[in-house]
Amino acid sequence: LDLGGGPGTYAIYFCLKNPKLKATVFDLIPTRPFAEKTIKRFNLADRINFIGGDYLTDAISGSYDIALLSHILHSLSPQDCQRIIKKVVSTLKTGGMIIIHDFILNDTMDGPLSPALFSLNMLLATEKGQAYSEKQITDMLAKAVIKEIKRIAFNIPNDSGIITGIK
C-alpha cells in the first residue's frame, strides 16, 4: 500500500525492482488519471492498482504486507497522524511492515536544519501541519501496537528519514 502515493512513483519503482510485487496506490480521486497513465507507461497496470479516496475520511480497503506513508504525516495534526497510522495498521497482515518516510526532527525539535525549516513552513502554510520528532513518530506507532520500531539509516541532502515497524 502506497498511501497518498500520487502518480505511483514509489509503487512503480518498487515493482520494477521486485518482479513478483503487486501494489496499491491510495490517493485522491483527481490524481487517478495521471497515476494510471504513469503506471501504464511503465507497463505495470497489471500489478499496480489505484484506489481513489481521502485517507482522512475514507476507509482503506484491502490487506497488505507493507504500507508506505511517504511525506504524509507532516501535513496533519498529531491527532490525524495517530488516526491515519491506526487506520493503516488495521490493513496490515500480521507481521506486516509500516514504513514512514518524512522530515523527521530530533527529539529536541530544533534540527536537523532541513526538517526544522520544513516544519516552520508547514506551521505557516497549513492549518495543522508540522514535522514530527523521531520520538513522536515512534510513540504514534507504539500506540497503534507496532513492534520492532526502528529508524533506518538514510542520508540524503534534505535530511528526510525512515522509521519502520512490524504489526
Side-chain angles (χ1 to χ4, degrees), residues 8 23 58 67 69 103 107 110 125:
D58 296 328
L69 285 71
F103 294 104
D107 291 338
D110 59 1

Side-chain angles (χ1 to χ4, degrees), residues 1 21-22 63-67 91-98 165-167:
L1 173 66
L21 182 68
K22 292 185 178 186
S63 179
Y64 304 96
D65 296 308
I66 298 174
T91 71
L92 287 175
K93 296 175 184 174
T94 300
M97 176 183 281
I98 184 168
I166 304 296
K167 178 176 180 180

Side-chain angles (χ1 to χ4, degrees), residues 1 3 64-70 73 81-93 95-101 137-138 140-142 144-150 152 162-167:
L1 173 66
L3 190 74
Y64 304 96
D65 296 308
I66 298 174
L68 172 65
L69 285 71
S70 183
L73 299 184
C81 289
Q82 189 66 64
R83 197 164 41 98
I84 295 302
I85 288 171
K86 183 179 177 185
K87 187 187 292 192
V88 168
V89 168
S90 74
T91 71
L92 287 175
K93 296 175 184 174
M97 176 183 281
I98 184 168
I99 302 168
I100 295 177
H101 172 229
I137 294 170
T138 59
M140 289 178 204
L141 291 169
V145 195
I146 292 296
K147 303 176 205 96
E148 299 179 42
I149 300 167
K150 61 184 174 182
I152 304 294
I162 297 174
I163 296 176
T164 65
I166 304 296
K167 178 176 180 180

